């Protein structure tokens, strides 16, 4: 068994997080280093390190996570002007925590394309 990630420890309540939503399949909490007025992370309770580890059996779970993110964006955070969902995968994308997560960002205009920086 690989070592538990920081998000695994948050799921198991071994370390604290500012949780905004939880159910049997997912957890949503505020990012510790927010990049926008709203910046929360939507994670599955199932341990999946990266997008590259997704299996067909995870299709429904991924759809569920996206729908939860969209629902919270509108119903909890009132992001009627829009929002962005981001999943980083691997070093070039800057993934630092190897437990798959969707960043929900909103509350300010965001540039496109999302580079440099
Ligand atoms: P990524 O670069 O896509 O892997 O994003 C990982 C995110 O997790 C970063 O935005 C970090 O600020 C955030 N993060 C790391 N540790 C914690 C923590 N203990 N609680 C909340 N967010 C965290």
């Amino acid at each position: 068994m690989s070592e538990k990630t920081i998000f695994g420890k948050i799921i198991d309540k071994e370390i604290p997080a500012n949780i905004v939503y939880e159910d049997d399949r997912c957890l949503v909490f505020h990012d510790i280093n927010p990049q926008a007025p709203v910046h929360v992370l939507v994670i599955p309770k199932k341990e999946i390190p990266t997008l590259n580890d997704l299996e067909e059996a995870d299709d429904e779970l991924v759809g569920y996570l996206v729908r939860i993110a969209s629902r919270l964006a509108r119903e909890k955070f009132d992001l009627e002007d829009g929002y962005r969902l981001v999943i980083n995968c691997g070093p070039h994308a800057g993934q630092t925590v190897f437990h798959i997560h969707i960043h929900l960002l909103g509350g300010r205009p965001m540039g496109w394309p999302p580079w440099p920086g």
Side-chain angles (χ1 to χ4, degrees):
M1 190 74 182
S2 58
E3 205 171 305
K4 213 184 269 187
T5 68
I6 192 136
F7 291 175
K9 291 177 183 170
I10 289 174
I11 290 167
D12 291 342
K13 306 291 190 317
E14 291 170 11
I15 61 168
N18 188 348
I19 293 172
V20 297
Y21 177 81
E22 178 168 16
D23 64 25
D24 58 330
R25 285 186 281 177
C26 80
L27 188 64
V28 185
F29 51 93
H30 286 276
D31 195 293
I32 205 166
N33 182 22
Q35 302 301 313
V38 174
H39 186 177
V40 298
L41 303 171
V42 181
I43 73 171
K45 290 192 170 173
K46 180 179 178 185
E47 270 185 49
I48 304 171
T50 81
L51 285 177
N52 295 337
D53 299 300
L54 286 172
E55 298 170 346
E56 194 174 345
D58 300 317
D59 288 359
E60 193 190 341
L61 176 61
V62 173
Y64 182 68
L65 298 175
V66 170
R67 195 164 56 76
I68 289 288
S70 168
R71 200 179 84 197
L72 290 173
R74 288 170 291 121
E75 295 179 7
K76 180 165 180 66
F77 297 115
D78 299 319
L79 297 174
E80 62 277 347
D81 289 329
Y83 54 89
R84 183 170 291 172
L85 303 185
V86 173
I87 303 177
N88 293 320
C89 182
H92 273 193
Q95 183 176 6
T96 58
V97 179
F98 291 87
H99 181 119
I100 208 168
H101 50 281
I102 302 174
H103 296 258
L104 163 59
L105 297 143
R108 66 167 172 81
M110 274 165 275
W112 191 264
W115 61 78

